[in-house]
Structure formats: structure tokens, C-alpha cells
Amino acid sequence: MSDTRFADLLLQKGLITRDKFESARGEAERTGLLLEEILENQGLSSAQILEAKTKATGIPAKSLEGGRVPFDILRYVPEDSARNYRFVPLGMKEGVLEIGMLDPSDLDAREALQFIASRLNLPFRVYLISAADFKRVLEEYKGLGGEVTRVLGELEMALSEGGPVPEELAVESKLVEEAPITKMVAVILKHATEGKASDVHIEPSRDKLRVRFRVDGILHTSLILPLKVHEAIISRIKILTNMQLDEKRKPQDGRFSARIESREIDFRVSSFPTTFGEKMAIRILDPETGVKSLEALGLDGRNLEAIQAGLKRPYGMILLTGPTGSGKTTTLYAMLQTLNKERYNIVSLEDPIEYNIEGVNQSQVRPEINYDFASGLRSILRQDPDIIMVGEIRDRETAGLAIHAALTGHIVLSTLHTNSAIGVIPRLIDMGVDPFLIAPTLTLAIGQRLVRTLCPDSKKKVSLVGSVREKIDEEFKDMSESEKRQVKFPKEIYQALPSASCPKGTSGRIGVFEVLSMTPQLEKIILKVPTETEISAEARRQGMITMREDGILKVLSGRVGLEELSEVT
């Protein structure tokens, strides 16, 4: 690009004086800064600069518009080349690689780009980009995609230097690419942990390997890797977890720990055979994560009062229910923390231990050596406990032992898989527990889900009038009159608004709850006609707020959006 032509265009529009342009060009040469950056500091916008550059060169401009360059595009251009020659990959369209350049007249940059394109055997198209977009793409190289790009480069070098590895010797030699693969697995786990992911999925397909992170309950693709690294990554994880390397036909389970950012993180791993090879699911467990308070989980109003009253009872069973990943264990820990006092002997049976709580005797069940919830519960009863936490009631035997523990003067906390708090009682009866034992032992049944919360600085107002208000009113039609009177209606509610600082418009999750308390009337129903219809009628009589209604109250308080609530209730 001719600086003279570029300067003339800026001068013609009256955007800058000749002296200021020459001063900016001199500063760029002295400092090594981009000319565009210096011009922007002098008051020009990136749009004005791009327009002048386009007219000066005849090359079209392209803007990222706050978007990100995916990893599978980023890896086409090495980071060193991008920094040295000031061009970056932007995307792929109809088999053509789109390249963003700051100075297309730079012959060295053109030659380097031509070399990369010929090595990739890809045609390319050049676009002008702003200095801000160029720096934004460079930042991407520091992220997960960038780190994996460097590791893939090391892998290519290792393969080219070491030569091919015979398939039958791959396991014994631990693969020639072991060092880069070790680093790649470490990079993936580090970014998953730092990004607050709860799970990592490594999934092979016909022609690629997909890595997905689950963040706030939602899975999203974080990496697309070449299929050739699949076997090496799976083997590396199997070595970490002591799984059988040569067993690829049936599922395996394992676990391992790793120190990441000075924290000891536990990983629970499951392999699963698929058409295109083994899939890995990795659950991330951070034992050092602080246990939240009941209020921080989203409990308030009647629900909080009912749980606090239930925890003050000298004995009885409190059961939490909901699907996998609905936060039941986190709520159990919050309750344990509330009860955690010097005077109590608290013992827990867990699979796995997700958080460490000082003062609680936590035990990990190991079914492979016949130490399961049932056998562990028998042992706990010989440990002089006051409070018992059982990770999950899965069968009749565990249910019977938990009921027996509650009958003999203990507080028992556990979880059960049903769709709602109302379903807890019929589920226990289905598991073989006699109704006359449920009535005196069950203190609370709590149903819960997790809802994504709106970003505080990135949400859109929606006026609470017309059809929106009618929809909210309809949600509360079955709520008790005493609870209705406490509802406060604001002038507007909010919905998610994706932005550069909050790409999804949501960040974090909060619980929505329903709490069913044991009452004399409910005891009579359990002994006579314990159907969900009768139990539901009693729940309404005692003023129970459903999970959906609790969610609507959180919508009115501006914490969640209606769309996010509808995903889970």
C-alpha cells in the first residue's frame, strides 16, 4: 500500500493534516507500533482508516464484528508467522482460506503467505483488516486454540523426525508423539478447569475429533482436532486413569488427579465405544471449591424457611430430587455446612467426593470391592453418627437402611431420582418402603433444577405489560393466596443479550426449588391414598411453590430470563 495514496485520501476527507500523518509515520518507524494504532490515538476511527486503505489498494475490507476465529481456522497460520508478517486467518468460504492483512503491499508477507498456502494446498483471498481486529486474532493464539496449534506443530515435527510408528508397536512405544500429546491433554484440561467447565467430551467422527466443554449446563465445541491424534489422546488419558490400553470394545471407568494452577483437581473419566472409536467423557471435580450457603444457591422466602426448619429437627430424612447435573449434591453440601457443629458426628458416603468439608467424615464408596451405599450405611451406623449423608438412594436395600437410620434418631440427607418433590413418596413406595415407615421419617422432599443466570451488564429490558404480564399471571394462577400477596411485580423483566463481554448473555447458574414438608394431613394421605394427585393437593394446601413458580419469581427479580427458565421447567 502506498503511504502517499493513503495519506492523500485521509487529507482529502479532512481527517488529518500532512504534518500529523508524517509525525505518525515517523513514530511507527521508531517504536515498531502499527501506523493504524497511532492514527486511531490521534482521533481517527478504524472504519475511516479501513475505508481509506480500501480505496488506496483496491482490496476489500473485512470486519470480525466482535466475533472469534475458530480453532480449526486459526491453525492454518502459525502464530509466529501471523506476528512477523502481520496477517491472520479469518475463515473458510467455499474452500477458499480468507486472510486478513494490515499491509498487502508487503512483499515479504506476500511470499510467506504464498508459501503457507502452497504447503496447505489451499487457495486464499486477501482482505484488509483493522489493527484492532488483527490484535484480537493474535489474542486468540493465547487461548485454547492457540496453545493446541503450537502443540500440533510440535506433533508434526515429532512425526517428521521420528518417522511412522508401526500400528502394532504403537502402545508399547507409547507413540512417538507422546510428549506433544501429553502437553495437548494438559492444555485441554487446564482450559476446561479455568473456563469453569463441569465436563469435557472427546468425540471422534468420520474425519475429525471434536472436543466439547459443558459450561453452565450447555455443551459447546471448543476444539476440532485432526483425527490422527485421537488414539494418542485416548491412550494418554487411559494411562492417567490406569485403564486397559488394549481394551477398546467395552466401556471403562477411571479417575485421576492433577495439579492445575496450584489446585489439586480430580477428574472422573468414562470411555465408551462408538462407530468411529472410543469416546471419552471427563467430569471435573474441584474439592477445594468453597461450599456455598443456602441463600447463594437461590433459596429464599418460604423455601428457605421450610429447609431451615427441617434442619432443626432432631431426626428425620431430607431427600433431594432432580435429574443428573441439577445441583443436588451442592445443596446437600450447603445443608451439611449448616449442620456442621462441634457437637455433631457427621459422616458421609459419596460417589465421588466433590468438595472437602472440614469437620465432616467423608468416605468414598468403591463398588468394585463391594463397598457400596448399602454396605457403607451399615458401617456408618456403627460409627455413632448424629448426621448421615448418603450420596444417592439407588435401591430398596439402601432406602430401607436410610429409613431405619432416620427412625432410630438420626438426621439423614440423601438424593433420589424423580421429576419433582411430589414424586418422592410414590418412588419410595415403588422401591419397597412401607408407607407407615415413610410418614414418621420423611421431613422434607426438595425438587430442584439449575437455570442459567443473566449477565448483570448484558441484558435487555422487556416491559411487563400486555401478553407478557398475562403470561406471568397465568403462571401464578394455582399459587396460594398468601404467597400471591407477597409477589412484587416490577415495571420490566429482562432477557439475555449476547455481547462481546458476555457472548451467551448468561453466566453462571442458580437453583429453582420446590419444598414439600411433612404435615399431619400428608401423613394421613401417605397411609391411605399416596397418589401424586392427593399429595399435590396437600402441597398446595400447605403453600408449596413449584419449581416453575420459583423460577418466575427469579424472572421478576431480574436474575433469570423466561427463555432460560423454559429450558429446565
Side-chain angles (χ1 to χ4, degrees):
M1 176 182 69
S2 167
D3 279 357
T4 303
R5 173 70 176 145
F6 178 46
D8 288 344
L9 288 166
L10 295 177
L11 289 168
Q12 286 171 15
K13 287 187 170 286
L15 298 173
I16 197 170
T17 64
R18 176 71 67 182
D19 288 344
K20 281 193 172 182
F21 183 86
E22 292 300 332
S23 172
R25 181 160 57 181
E27 185 178 344
E29 291 173 355
R30 285 194 315 273
T31 62
L33 294 173
L34 298 173
L35 175 60
E36 288 85 345
E37 286 183 289
I38 297 168
L39 291 174
E40 285 185 18
N41 291 336
Q42 292 184 354
L44 276 71
S45 70
S46 59
Q48 290 170 331
I49 294 170
L50 263 186
E51 184 183 358
K53 286 173 70 174
T54 299
K55 288 182 177 178
T57 60
I59 296 172
K62 197 174 187 73
S63 172
L64 288 177
E65 297 178 346
R68 299 179 64 180
V69 177
F71 162 73
D72 56 335
I73 299 299
L74 199 67
R75 67 189 179 94
Y76 284 120
V77 176
E79 182 183 1
D80 289 344
S81 298
R83 290 187 182 277
N84 290 337
Y85 298 109
R86 296 181 175 180
F87 61 73
V88 289
L90 301 177
M92 182 76 73
K93 192 172 183 180
E94 298 175 354
V96 177
L97 181 63
E98 297 177 337
I99 296 290
M101 299 188 79
L102 286 178
D103 186 4
S105 65
D106 185 334
L107 293 179
D108 290 340
R110 281 285 201 179
E111 287 179 7
L113 178 57
Q114 193 68 52
F115 173 78
I116 291 171
S118 62
R119 184 166 59 84
L120 296 170
N121 195 25
L122 274 176
F124 64 89
R125 185 177 293 119
V126 172
Y127 292 92
L128 288 166
I129 57 171
S130 68
D133 277 349
F134 173 70
K135 293 177 74 174
R136 189 175 292 119
V137 178
L138 288 184
E139 284 299 311
E140 294 289 332
Y141 281 100
K142 295 179 181 177
L144 175 58
E147 290 201 48
V148 172
T149 299
R150 287 191 288 276
V151 174
L152 282 173
E154 293 177 24
L155 175 58
E156 294 287 352
M157 188 175 295
L159 288 171
S160 63
E161 291 176 355
V165 180
E167 188 175 345
E168 65 272 17
L169 298 177
V171 172
E172 286 77 2
S173 63
K174 292 188 181 176
L175 303 164
V176 73
E177 62 266 40
E178 179 185 353
I181 289 298
T182 299
K183 192 180 296 183
M184 186 180 294
V185 171
V187 164
I188 290 170
L189 296 179
K190 177 172 77 83
H191 280 271
T193 303
E194 290 175 350
K196 298 182 180 178
S198 61
D199 301 85
V200 178
H201 292 254
I202 301 171
E203 305 163 319
S205 62
R206 189 181 301 278
D207 56 359
K208 62 189 177 186
L209 182 66
R210 180 172 64 166
V211 179
R212 292 194 290 171
F213 292 172
R214 187 182 294 279
V215 180
D216 294 339
I218 305 295
L219 273 172
H220 63 90
T221 301
S222 298
L223 282 175
I224 300 293
L225 296 169
L227 195 58
K228 65 184 177 185
V229 303
H230 171 240
E231 288 291 339
I233 286 178
I234 297 300
S235 294
R236 172 60 185 163
I237 295 171
K238 282 185 171 182
I239 289 168
L240 289 170
T241 56
N242 291 319
M243 291 183 185
Q244 294 180 37
L245 288 170
D246 56 346
E247 180 55 78
K248 303 176 182 180
R249 299 164 301 169
K250 65 181 183 181
Q252 297 186 67
D253 294 308
R255 63 188 69 206
F256 69 96
S257 298
R259 197 156 191 81
I260 296 178
E261 296 295 318
S262 72
R263 300 204 320 275
E264 195 73 24
I265 309 294
D266 295 328
F267 299 92
R268 189 173 61 184
V269 183
S270 172
S271 73
F272 185 75
T274 71
T275 306
F276 301 109
E278 288 181 282
K279 173 190 183 298
M280 283 283 186
I282 305 172
R283 169 64 57 87
I284 300 172
L285 305 168
D286 187 351
E288 296 180 17
T289 301
V291 177
K292 293 183 178 180
S293 66
L294 292 170
E295 292 85 349
L297 297 178
L299 282 160
D300 49 29
R302 178 198 178 275
N303 289 340
L304 180 60
E305 291 171 8
I307 290 176
Q308 288 173 333
L311 291 173
K312 289 176 181 175
R313 295 275 298 271
Y315 62 89
M317 186 164 62
I318 297 176
L319 292 180
L320 280 89
T321 184
T324 302
S326 60
K328 301 186 297 294
T329 305
T330 305
T331 305
L332 280 180
Y333 280 126
M335 291 181 182
L336 279 184
Q337 193 74 298
T338 302
L339 294 168
N340 190 7
K341 295 181 174 63
E342 175 70 26
R343 57 183 289 193
Y344 295 129
N345 175 25
I346 305 176
V347 188
S348 76
L349 275 176
E350 305 177 47
D351 184 25
I353 297 172
E354 295 190 21
Y355 307 113
N356 292 323
I357 307 178
E358 190 175 346
V360 176
N361 302 289
Q362 297 172 268
S363 182
Q364 167 77 54
V365 300
R366 301 199 179 277
E368 66 271 15
I369 58 172
N370 295 321
Y371 178 48
D372 54 16
F373 286 121
S375 61
L377 199 43
R378 285 194 194 89
S379 300
I380 281 180
L381 292 172
R382 295 191 289 272
Q383 285 287 318
D384 184 31
D386 297 295
I387 298 163
I388 301 168
M389 193 267 264
V390 182
E392 184 182 345
I393 293 177
R394 297 175 179 172
D395 51 46
R396 178 175 183 172
E397 186 179 11
T398 309
L401 288 165
I403 290 281
H404 174 70
L407 273 174
T408 53
H410 303 92
I411 296 173
V412 179
L413 309 176
S414 191
T415 69
L416 196 67
H417 280 291
T418 67
N419 289 326
S420 65
I422 302 296
V424 166
I425 294 165
R427 175 70 179 131
L428 287 173
I429 293 171
D430 287 343
M431 293 175 82
V433 179
D434 292 323
F436 69 85
L437 292 175
I438 298 173
T441 55
L442 183 65
T443 303
L444 296 173
I446 304 167
Q448 73 175 85
R449 300 288 190 279
L450 290 175
V451 185
R452 292 185 291 139
T453 50
L454 300 173
C455 292
D457 302 323
S458 182
K459 53 186 181 181
K460 180 181 177 182
K461 290 181 179 179
V462 178
S463 296
L464 194 58
V465 293
S467 60
V468 179
R469 176 59 189 260
E470 289 173 10
K471 186 176 181 180
I472 298 291
D473 288 338
E474 180 68 17
E475 298 284 359
F476 289 146
K477 67 177 183 179
D478 295 327
M479 185 184 279
S480 67
E481 290 302 321
S482 61
E483 292 296 332
K484 278 183 185 177
R485 285 193 292 270
Q486 296 181 42
V487 177
K488 296 178 181 178
F489 290 91
K491 292 182 180 179
E492 63 267 316
I493 57 177
Y494 296 89
Q495 66 183 37
L497 181 67
S499 66
S501 60
C502 190
K504 297 191 295 289
T506 60
S507 178
R509 289 187 291 176
I510 197 171
V512 290
F513 300 87
E514 59 186 24
V515 181
L516 175 67
S517 302
M518 184 58 66
T519 59
Q521 294 91 334
L522 183 56
E523 287 185 18
K524 291 176 184 176
I525 290 169
I526 293 171
L527 295 173
K528 292 180 180 178
V529 278
T531 63
E532 289 202 14
T533 303
E534 292 294 327
I535 296 168
S536 182
E538 164 56 20
R540 281 306 189 183
R541 189 204 65 76
Q542 63 180 245
M544 188 187 88
I545 299 170
T546 66
M547 281 184 280
R548 177 75 181 177
E549 290 165 352
D550 187 39
I552 294 295
L553 292 173
K554 289 177 170 66
V555 169
L556 295 178
S557 68
R559 286 182 282 181
V560 303
L562 278 172
E563 186 176 338
E564 287 70 33
L565 179 62
S566 297
E567 292 174 358
V568 298
T569 64

